[in-house]
Structures are given as C-alpha cells and as structure tokens.
Amino acid sequence: MIKVGDTLPAATLMEYSEVEGNGCSIGPNAVDVVKASAGKTIALFALPGAFTPTCSAKHVPGYVEKFAELKASGVDEIWCVSVNDAFVMGAWARDQKTDGKVRMLADGSAAFAQATGLTLDLTAKGMGLRSNRYSMLVKDGKVVSLNIEGPGKFEVSDAATMLAQAKG
C-alpha cells in the first residue's frame, strides 16, 4: 500500500472535457499521473463511486466549498479520483459544479486504485472493485500526507482535514 514518502504510481486517468482548450479535445482525455503531478501541490481525494450518497452529499461538495482556501494554502490542483468511466465523471462534475475547482478523474479499470493498494471490494453490493475512500496531499509527485478511511467512514479524508494539512 502507498504510504507517506512514496511517489504516485505511473498510471493514466481519464478526464472528460466539455470545452476545447489548451490542447485538450472535447471528450475523454488521458491524464498521465506522473506528468500531471510534477512540480505541483495536489490535494487528491478518492472515493468509491460517482453519484453515491456520501460522495455526492459530503465529499465532493466539501472540496468545492474549500477550493479558495486550499488554493490560498498552496494547493495548485484538487483531484477527485473514482473507479468510474470519464463520461460518468463528466456528468458528475456538471452535477456537483466542480468546473475550474476540482478535476474529476476517472480510474475506469481501477488501475490507479490497484497501484496504490487502496482498493475496496464492493462485489457483494454489485459495484465490483472500487477505490477506498481516502485523501492525500501530494507535492511534486510524492505523498506528503495520507488519510485513509475505515470501512463505511467519512472522518479523515474530508476537505477540512486536507486544508489543515496543506496549511501545516
């Protein structure tokens, strides 16, 4: 399992773009985790699934709400990673009004979740292999802090905890 001091795994996430710009075409675009995190401070949080109750009611809204404070504390980007496809993440981004605040990144095959060792098996609930709920502060590709939730919990991966760590 990934830990503080480790480098983010080499993986490709997908991001849905509704507008063309900066070399990005409309539709899903590949995001190379290593390249995208180089030289940046990133507040990364991951969760089991788009449109799920806790994720939609608390997790994403908290990061949208704390966007300005996180930026002021030195965070360059906020990433939300979930084992969903880029089209679902794009629809969820519209629903959650994350544009310009939180990058909604799809880990469609759970490759990133598996590479970090932070998977959650929800096969019994009909959801298959997913990402565990966690957050991490990443600086230049290295994990500075890591907050992993216990089963069914939402206590340490929230935006307020991340903000305190970014300020510290």
Side-chain angles (χ1 to χ4, degrees):
M1 183 184 333
I2 198 166
K3 60 188 180 309
V4 171
D6 287 352
T7 301
L8 288 179
T12 301
L13 299 170
M14 298 299 288
E15 183 174 33
Y16 186 82
S17 296
E18 293 193 75
V19 291
E20 201 160 353
N22 292 341
C24 292
S25 64
I26 294 174
N29 290 281
V31 176
D32 180 308
V33 170
V34 173
K35 289 179 184 174
S37 63
K40 295 179 187 165
T41 297
I42 297 167
L44 184 156
F45 67 104
L47 36 81
F51 294 104
T52 56
T54 301
C55 303
S56 291
K58 297 178 183 176
H59 216 167
V60 174
Y63 280 88
V64 171
E65 179 185 309
K66 299 276 187 209
F67 168 76
E69 291 173 80
L70 284 160
K71 290 290 274 189
S73 70
V75 170
D76 296 305
E77 294 181 0
I78 303 169
W79 293 5
C80 173
V81 179
S82 182
V83 179
N84 290 105
D85 65 63
F87 297 100
V88 169
M89 292 300 281
W92 198 31
R94 285 189 300 279
D95 179 72
Q96 294 286 309
K97 298 172 179 52
T98 64
D99 191 41
K101 295 180 179 178
V102 178
R103 293 183 74 178
M104 304 297 275
L105 301 173
D107 184 18
S109 299
F112 183 78
Q114 290 178 68
T116 62
L118 293 167
T119 57
L120 181 64
D121 189 350
L122 294 177
T123 303
K125 294 185 177 185
M127 294 173 69
L129 187 66
R130 296 293 177 134
S131 173
N132 197 3
R133 185 183 306 280
Y134 66 89
S135 67
M136 62 172 74
L137 186 63
V138 177
K139 292 188 179 183
D140 195 23
K142 290 202 183 302
V143 179
V144 176
S145 65
L146 178 61
N147 314 294
I148 304 169
E149 297 287 1
K153 301 288 185 187
F154 180 63
E155 300 169 342
V156 298
S157 63
D158 60 302
T161 300
M162 179 58 61
L163 180 59
Q165 292 171 341
K167 286 181 174 180

